[in-house]
Amino acid sequence: MLEQPIKGRLAKWAIELSEYEIIYQTRTDIKSQVLADFVADFSQGMHLEAEKELQVFNGANPGTWILFIDGSSNVKGAGLGIVLIPPTGETIRQAIKCHSITNNEVKYDAVIAGLELARELGITQIIIKSDSQLVVNQMLGTYTARETRMQEHLEKVHELIKQFQTWKVMQIPRDENVEAEPCHPM
């Protein structure tokens, strides 16, 4: 079987597509100067953004980072919400879906995931903000974790916190923690 020339195949497709009101148009060549102008117009801003991002991820931006955490659980599953804000002001967001556990456990899992992310990024100074009175007060030692599973979560958090030069945990009102609020699992 002989292969049809390209123009013949394109014409055939143009006819086939026309019954669906789709019009085929051949591409024109892009002038190299237009492409060069486009790259020149946008590369400066992109270069500055890339440089800032590289500084953030290489730890060249010393300072205190803020970690907002939240978690929720229902019969369909659980979700963690993590928002990490460097001193330069950018925002790193992460949402994680996980198996069904209690609301308090999922909030601890959010703290653990957020602290692990912070350590991976080489962060040394962090402020943890959560709307969970229980988790914040257990981390501060004001409340005692009585259940074994909660004690295990708390121990893991304390192990991670020891890896930071400075840390602070604060309870914030729920309406100040909306960015970290995870979407409820579907």
Side-chain angles (χ1 to χ4, degrees):
M1 180 162 150
L2 294 173
E3 190 155 328
Q4 282 185 324
I6 293 175
K7 284 187 179 185
R9 282 186 278 159
L10 290 176
K12 182 181 173 185
W13 276 108
I15 293 168
E16 292 286 329
L17 294 173
S18 67
E19 80 180 78
Y20 300 104
E21 297 181 17
I22 298 173
I23 300 169
Y24 172 79
Q25 292 180 332
T26 58
R27 277 183 68 186
T28 58
D29 293 334
I30 298 174
K31 300 274 183 190
S32 59
Q33 188 58 50
V34 172
L35 186 57
D37 291 343
F38 175 79
V39 170
D41 287 344
F42 291 99
S43 66
Q44 176 124 12
M46 290 170 47
H47 177 70
L48 293 173
E49 285 299 315
E51 196 173 293
K52 270 170 88 176
E53 191 172 313
L54 185 62
Q55 288 177 346
V56 167
F57 288 109
N58 285 337
N61 266 329
T64 303
W65 291 54
I66 299 172
L67 171 65
F68 289 90
I69 59 101
D70 200 4
S72 65
S73 181
N74 62 30
V75 293
K76 295 180 182 178
L80 315 176
I82 300 165
V83 176
L84 196 54
I85 302 174
T88 54
E90 294 87 2
T91 302
I92 301 169
R93 289 183 173 84
Q94 191 171 20
I96 303 167
K97 185 175 179 178
C98 56
H99 56 18
S100 293
I101 50 180
T102 68
N103 265 330
N104 292 329
E105 287 177 300
V106 80
K107 289 180 188 297
Y108 265 114
D109 283 349
V111 174
I112 291 166
L115 290 174
E116 286 174 344
L117 175 63
R119 288 307 305 149
E120 287 175 21
L121 294 174
I123 297 167
T124 58
Q125 302 171 38
I126 196 162
I127 297 173
I128 305 159
K129 294 186 176 186
S130 171
D131 58 28
S132 172
Q133 181 179 4
L134 179 75
V135 171
V136 169
N137 282 303
Q138 285 180 345
M139 287 176 65
L140 292 170
T142 311
Y143 292 1
T144 304
R146 294 191 180 119
E147 296 174 15
T148 306
R149 287 171 41 178
M150 295 301 283
Q151 289 171 352
E152 291 168 358
H153 281 83
L154 185 57
E155 286 172 18
K156 177 70 174 169
V157 167
H158 283 294
E159 286 174 28
L160 288 166
I161 283 177
K162 288 178 188 175
Q163 299 175 25
F164 293 87
Q165 288 177 359
T166 62
W167 66 274
K168 182 178 181 180
V169 63
M170 302 171 57
Q171 182 188 355
I172 58 173
R174 186 172 297 227
D175 60 340
E176 289 180 25
N177 204 26
V178 245
E179 277 196 71
E181 198 169 285
C183 295
H184 293 288
M186 297 290 186

